[in-house]
Amino acid sequence: MNTKRREKITLGAGCFWCTEAVYVRLEGVLSVKSGFSGGNINNPGYMEVCQGHTGHAEVCEIEYDTKSISLEEILEVFWIIHDPTSLNRQGNDIGTHYRSVIFYHNKEQKKVAEQSMNLANSSGKYVNNIVTEISAWKNFYPADEHHNQYYEKNKNQAYCKFVILPKIIAFKNNRK
């Protein structure tokens, strides 16, 4: 049985602005940090990652209270807020840095992630198979500060209205 109260999971569901905007609204989530993970260079910048040569994905490092929310619940939201059947793209955001990925931090998280993906794949919700990568966490590099709380700071921008807000609404509608 897990006796720790705090754990981290690192998730890539396309644009990290979208992912963060949803997870900060989830009860039991303690913090959400936008950044990059899974690549092969240290301390990449946003422009380097966007060029697609670093191997990093845009991710959110999510710290949560295991007494308030389970990893299964966090992953249920993950499957709702993006298209896990779309390889290296989410909508108009295209490239390996927008891939669907779960970076697990321990063996138990790997097991839960695999079970969750199998459940989502067999749910009948998706026409195509899920292509989400499940990989061991090896690094996390925070994005520049202006990327954090992007939606909250820029709600009136077109990307926020037409891309991020629909994901927040889908999250809220599926949590009732």
Side-chain angles (χ1 to χ4, degrees):
M1 178 172 179
N2 187 354
T3 57
K4 292 190 323 185
R5 282 199 64 101
R6 291 175 172 258
E7 275 200 24
K8 288 181 184 177
I9 188 75
T10 305
L11 303 175
C15 171
F16 51 36
W17 297 340
C18 300
T19 307
E20 178 197 54
V22 170
Y23 278 102
V24 297
R25 289 166 168 71
L26 189 57
E27 190 174 326
V29 169
L30 305 171
S31 71
V32 182
K33 295 178 187 165
S34 294
F36 313 103
S37 195
N40 49 30
I41 69 163
N42 293 332
N43 298 310
Y46 180 75
M47 294 309 292
E48 289 175 292
V49 173
C50 288
Q51 290 171 355
H53 302 299
T54 68
H56 289 283
E58 285 193 19
V59 298
C60 284
E61 183 179 74
I62 301 165
E63 185 175 12
Y64 60 100
D65 179 347
T66 61
K67 302 292 186 210
S68 299
I69 190 168
S70 67
L71 180 56
E72 289 88 351
E73 291 171 296
I74 287 171
L75 293 175
E76 284 175 18
V77 171
F78 177 77
W79 305 119
I80 292 168
I81 64 170
H82 79 298
D83 178 2
T85 68
S86 181
L87 184 63
N88 299 329
R89 96 178 279 160
Q90 289 298 307
N92 290 328
D93 295 331
I94 300 170
T96 57
H97 53 293
Y98 292 120
R99 68 188 180 270
S100 176
V101 59
I102 300 169
F103 290 110
Y104 59 87
H105 291 243
N106 58 50
K107 288 179 183 176
E108 181 60 26
Q109 285 185 347
K110 178 183 181 186
K111 178 181 165 191
V112 170
E114 289 171 342
Q115 290 171 340
S116 179
M117 186 167 80
N118 289 338
L119 187 62
N121 231 348
S122 65
S123 70
K125 177 181 176 182
Y126 304 105
V127 174
N128 298 315
N129 285 331
I130 290 174
V131 295
T132 301
E133 171 187 330
I134 298 176
S135 295
W137 178 90
K138 63 180 179 178
N139 53 35
F140 175 80
Y141 300 102
D144 294 335
E145 185 54 38
H146 73 275
H147 290 291
N148 288 297
Q149 299 175 336
Y150 188 86
Y151 176 77
E152 300 306 322
K153 296 175 189 173
N154 301 282
K155 288 182 182 178
N156 291 321
Q157 286 190 359
Y159 190 88
C160 293
K161 285 182 178 180
F162 298 110
V163 178
I164 300 174
L165 182 57
K167 291 176 187 258
I168 293 170
I169 292 168
F171 157 71
K172 287 180 178 178
N173 289 341
N174 281 286
R175 294 296 291 176
K176 292 179 181 181

